Amino acid sequence: MAGPMEHVGTAPKAGPRDGVSLDVAAASATKLAHVHHDMHDFPEPIPWKTGQAGTVAPLDRDTSWIVSAPKKASAPVASAAAVATPTITAPAKPKPKKKKLPGSGIPARLSIRSLVWVRRASQVFFFALFMYFLFQTAFRGTFAAQADTPVRLPLPVEGFLLADPFVTAMTVLSTHTVYRGLLWSIGLLALTLVFGRVFCGWICPFGTLHHFFGWLLPSRRGRGAVRVEANKTHTYQRAKYYLLYAFLVAGLFGSAIGGLFDPICIAVRSIGLGVIPAAQYIGGRALGGASMVPSRGVQGVADHTQDFLASAVWQSHQFYFHQTWLIVFLLIAVLFANRFIPRFWCRVLCPLGAFLGVFARFALFGMEKDHAKCTDCNLCLVNCQGADSPQGGVKWRQDECHMCLNCETACPEDVIKFRFLPNRKGTVTKPDTERRTALAAAGAGALFLPASRIADALDVNYHSKVIRPPGAVEERGFLERCIRCAECMKVCPNNALHPAFLESGLEGVWTPILIARIGYCEHSCVLCGQVCPTGAIQKITEKEKLGIGVPPVKIGTAFYDHGRCLPWSMQTPCIVCEEFCPTSPKAIWVEEVEAPVRDSKPGPNGEQPAMKTVKLQRPHVDPALCIGCGACEKVCPVQDQPAVYITSVGESRSKTNVILLENTNYNQKS
Ligand code: SF4
Ligand code: SF4
Ligand code: SF4
């Protein structure tokens, strides 16, 4: 059956060999192959060895090798026999077509062909698991209904991030500690030490996405000799190692900015904050339209689908995320790049792939090639996912191989063998990087932090809108740990957390901030800390957050803009903020006043409107009780700029971001 994501070619064509650059070994091997083919009287199976850019159809590896069984030259003999014995016999059953491979037609080992199917099943399974975890990174109940039981997610939805060794390495370097959950990544490193970059070919959901799009959107130009050329190892593949070095050194200097390029973080961030809300937006409108159709059947299906999706895939109401357009645009850009270079992201940019590539050099499992047998048909190259030079005549690049095993299955000459403890004579194990460029990349990583920090004096000019989630560690520590994975933003049931842009400087891009106008921090919720894989947000309990037995966790403080507040400046009764304040006792209290107010109409002769009085409750904030959750800001009925708003000042995690410094000369308390 057809492999869903691989392309191999047949379509024999004869043609001039212009434009083909073959090395000597490959050329002599090709000559041998021609002799070989002549002996077997097989058609020339190699369209691209001609060097002509031509069509290489997206072939099924197995069925493409089916060629018609050679017609028997013995037909006249058979008819003679029929004349001699005119007995009527049952019509002969049509002989099953024999599968023939191109070239010598030596089939790959059954074990390897089976493993390729296992690999495909594994890719589908892990991608489905990743998506399931992402859908489950949400709380769809009500906190009031669960007042007596702590709200926890039943699944380790951050599991893929915990198993990510690049995240572990970066945060170990930046914090000099190992966050316990990240120890899972040791398992993945062990797997790499045995099987090479098997994660890339078999497990990585982002890699699978690229594999799928590479199959779905191949460029018309990316076929034949062009595709062969694209799949050769290129020097630009080194870029991912330079990025890796830069991010690890930036980690050493105290920034986890490398999370911007981590594939699992990208997948969670772009799918969780962009693709799923967009699907909800489009799907919700389509289903809403369907439920208006005057047909009970259609309405029923639309309503049930809507209910199912709201309970299992997205949220009960539309979520929006600040800055998502950029995140989605970048995702589309890297997916589109697969049109021109298969698995462009994996080959060129992925620092996790590079990290695994560094360790893959020690792998016990690997490729062994019998170069003399290679006929330069390039079937292995056309099918290669990693651009690791599987073809004969050149050294195999172990650090680039995704262990997809496509090359061995495609090879019709029995050149390639994957096995344990292979002969490594023809293998390059180390990343192919230039020392000076590597040093320059490391230098750029070292300079990143000072360069971004001199852009502002964050200690005294901290952006008031950088309100971090409850349980977040102090800002420097936060930036050392936060990998921008967006798990916290995805799980927040109130859509309160959003990716920052430059609010907290260059090093804070896409770290979480609370935008209360879109959503406030639910009083008894601690979910963001539960899913944070690096401890940037600590796993606090409800009691700690609410301040039962300990001081409550404050993320900021509310302030009133008296010029906009209805009871303060418009003499209009309003106590919405006080009603919604969730603390006990309430941090917002009201002062009852009888305030003068002008009549709305002027006197009969155009006099000034008469004065009267109105009873009002004017709100005040008690900063000692306010936790900065933003519920008041969210519900304030004054549009555009609300009359009450929160800022980060007074947050528990900071000793300096306070309204009045204690124990200083300012308040004479020392
Ligand atoms: S190179 Fe990166 S994105 Fe690609 S499969 Fe490997 S880890 Fe995943
Ligand atoms: S910001 Fe508040 S409401 Fe949102 S997940 Fe965190 S604790 Fe829960
Ligand atoms: S704070 Fe949020 S974005 Fe940062 S690492 Fe934790 S969960 Fe991911």
Side-chain angles (χ1 to χ4, degrees):
M1 273 304 296
M5 299 184 194
E6 285 83 27
H7 299 58
V8 290
T10 56
K13 271 186 203 165
R17 298 174 57 87
D18 318 344
V20 180
S21 61
L22 297 174
D23 56 34
V24 177
S28 58
T30 307
K31 272 185 206 156
L32 278 175
H34 284 205
V35 173
H36 193 66
H37 293 157
D38 292 339
M39 282 167 55
H40 289 271
D41 200 20
F42 283 143
E44 169 61 75
I46 308 156
W48 44 79
K49 74 184 290 190
T50 63
Q52 298 286 313
T55 301
V56 177
L59 301 173
D60 177 311
R61 180 170 309 106
D62 297 328
T63 55
S64 68
W65 293 338
I66 297 174
V67 296
S68 327
K71 284 182 186 160
K72 296 262 185 217
S74 56
V77 177
S79 20
V83 171
T85 49
T87 48
I88 298 166
T89 51
K93 278 187 189 170
K95 284 185 182 170
K97 283 184 178 175
K98 270 189 188 170
K99 285 187 179 179
K100 291 262 172 147
L101 306 180
S104 303
I106 301 166
R109 287 173 292 166
L110 181 64
S111 55
I112 290 292
R113 279 184 282 150
S114 313
L115 271 178
V116 169
W117 278 106
V118 177
R119 190 256 301 157
R120 287 176 189 142
S122 162
Q123 285 181 290
V124 171
F125 171 77
F126 281 108
F127 186 76
L129 184 68
F130 172 80
M131 290 304 293
Y132 182 65
F133 279 175
L134 204 51
F135 295 148
Q136 294 302 313
T137 310
F139 174 66
R140 299 185 175 92
T142 60
F143 283 87
Q146 309 230 355
D148 300 329
T149 42
V151 172
R152 297 285 182 273
L153 298 186
L155 295 167
V157 292
E158 73 283 26
F160 279 87
L161 289 158
L162 295 178
D164 183 332
F166 172 56
V167 165
T168 308
M170 196 168 43
T171 50
V172 164
L173 288 171
S174 61
T175 62
H176 311 297
T177 52
V178 188
Y179 194 62
R180 199 179 44 204
L182 291 170
L183 288 172
W184 285 104
S185 62
I186 292 175
L188 184 52
L189 271 190
L191 198 66
T192 309
L193 289 175
V194 179
F195 292 108
R197 281 173 65 183
V198 74
F199 177 78
C200 298
W202 293 56
I203 298 173
C204 178
F206 201 50
T208 300
L209 201 61
H210 287 282
H211 195 156
F212 177 70
F213 273 88
W215 167 76
L216 193 68
L217 299 173
S219 163
R220 268 180 294 152
R221 287 180 299 125
R223 296 189 178 178
V226 179
R227 183 172 170 110
V228 168
E229 202 49 47
N231 270 7
K232 285 182 180 167
T233 310
H234 290 275
T235 45
Y236 57 64
Q237 289 174 230
R238 298 169 180 166
K240 60 181 175 295
Y241 291 102
Y242 300 137
L243 283 172
L244 172 72
Y245 302 150
F247 289 140
L248 290 182
V249 175
L252 193 61
F253 279 74
S255 170
I257 189 79
L260 286 180
F261 272 68
D262 180 83
I264 309 295
C265 293
I266 295 176
V268 174
R269 196 167 57 223
S270 51
I271 301 175
L273 307 190
V275 177
I276 294 176
Q280 180 174 13
Y281 192 87
I282 297 165
R285 271 153 188 75
L287 291 168
S291 64
M292 308 290 277
V293 171
S295 154
R296 283 204 171 181
V298 175
Q299 286 176 1
V301 171
D303 290 347
H304 279 105
T305 312
Q306 182 81 282
D307 290 348
F308 167 74
L309 292 172
S311 63
V313 176
W314 49 60
Q315 308 282 354
S316 54
H317 65 282
Q318 179 69 50
F319 271 30
Y320 300 91
F321 291 97
H322 188 58
Q323 288 293 332
T324 291
W325 68 270
L326 184 54
I327 291 169
V328 174
F329 172 79
L330 292 176
L331 173 72
I332 292 171
V334 289
L335 289 180
F336 194 69
N338 288 299
R339 237 175 115 62
F340 309 103
I341 298 176
R343 291 189 75 156
F344 168 80
W345 168 266
C346 303
R347 292 181 188 178
V348 184
L349 295 176
C350 181
L352 172 57
F355 191 83
L356 296 175
V358 170
F359 284 83
R361 63 189 287 197
F362 305 108
L364 305 179
F365 187 71
M367 184 197 285
E368 206 171 272
K369 291 193 262 193
D370 187 346
H371 297 274
K373 286 189 193 168
C374 179
T375 60
D376 192 31
C377 75
N378 287 329
L379 279 169
C380 53
L381 252 184
V382 170
N383 287 280
C384 180
Q385 290 294 308
D388 51 71
S389 299
Q391 73 275 30
V394 287
K395 289 189 172 183
W396 176 57
R397 299 215 58 98
Q398 184 161 16
D399 61 312
E400 299 287 345
C401 179
H402 295 185
M403 292 293 156
C404 68
L405 308 178
N406 283 350
C407 50
E408 181 170 346
T409 355
C411 178
E413 306 290 351
D414 198 25
V415 173
I416 297 168
K417 284 267 189 299
F418 276 92
R419 55 168 49 122
F420 276 101
L421 303 175
N423 180 348
R424 289 185 197 273
K425 260 191 191 165
T427 302
V428 180
T429 53
K430 289 186 202 161
D432 174 29
T433 49
E434 286 171 353
R435 187 177 299 178
R436 286 185 186 193
T437 318
L439 285 174
L447 283 177
F448 170 74
L449 209 59
S452 58
R453 287 196 178 159
I454 56 160
D456 205 343
L458 288 186
D459 287 343
V460 289
N461 192 29
Y462 191 66
H463 198 300
S464 61
K465 284 295 171 190
V466 179
I467 297 162
R468 298 297 189 187
V473 296
E474 57 80 29
E475 187 64 10
R476 287 277 152 88
F478 189 79
L479 293 173
E480 285 170 1
R481 286 171 181 265
C482 178
I483 52 169
R484 291 87 170 150
C485 67
E487 284 279 336
C488 53
M489 308 170 214
K490 174 73 181 67
V491 81
C492 181
N494 286 359
N495 195 196
L497 298 178
H498 298 260
F501 191 46
L502 293 172
E503 292 89 341
S504 57
L506 198 56
E507 57 174 325
V509 170
W510 292 345
T511 53
I513 55 172
L514 187 136
I515 301 182
R517 208 53 175 156
I518 300 176
Y520 63 94
C521 182
E522 182 70 41
H523 194 40
S524 59
C525 170
V526 291
L527 286 173
C528 47
Q530 300 303 312
V531 298
C532 179
T534 60
I537 309 173
Q538 297 284 298
K539 292 189 194 313
I540 54 173
T541 63
E542 286 80 356
K543 282 187 178 173
E544 285 165 337
K545 185 178 179 193
L546 299 181
I548 300 172
V550 286
V553 173
K554 278 170 68 80
I555 57 175
T557 309
F559 293 89
Y560 277 95
D561 182 344
H562 287 181
R564 300 179 67 82
C565 179
L566 299 178
W568 276 101
S569 65
M570 321 270 174
Q571 320 301 25
T572 305
C574 174
I575 53 164
V576 177
C577 51
E578 190 267 350
E579 281 178 341
F580 271 83
C581 179
T583 59
S584 177
K586 285 181 184 285
I588 296 178
W589 58 276
V590 292
E591 168 196 13
E592 302 225 342
V593 292
E594 195 158 321
V597 61
R598 281 196 337 173
D599 203 350
S600 56
K601 290 179 191 153
N605 299 319
E607 304 100 343
Q608 287 287 320
M611 297 301 291
K612 57 181 186 179
T613 57
V614 62
K615 283 195 174 172
L616 293 166
Q617 292 169 307
R618 286 182 172 160
H620 296 260
V621 177
D622 182 346
L625 293 178
C626 177
I627 54 171
C629 70
C632 49
E633 180 175 336
K634 164 75 181 156
V635 297
C636 177
V638 179
Q639 291 304 305
D640 61 44
Q641 290 178 39
V644 59
Y645 57 91
I646 54 166
T647 77
S648 62
V649 75
E651 53 183 348
S652 331
R653 68 190 187 120
S654 172
K655 289 191 172 66
T656 53
N657 189 17
V658 294
I659 298 172
L660 273 182
L661 285 173
E662 291 186 3
N663 303 323
T664 66
N665 289 336
Y666 295 117
N667 57 10
Q668 308 293 317
K669 273 192 179 173
S670 57

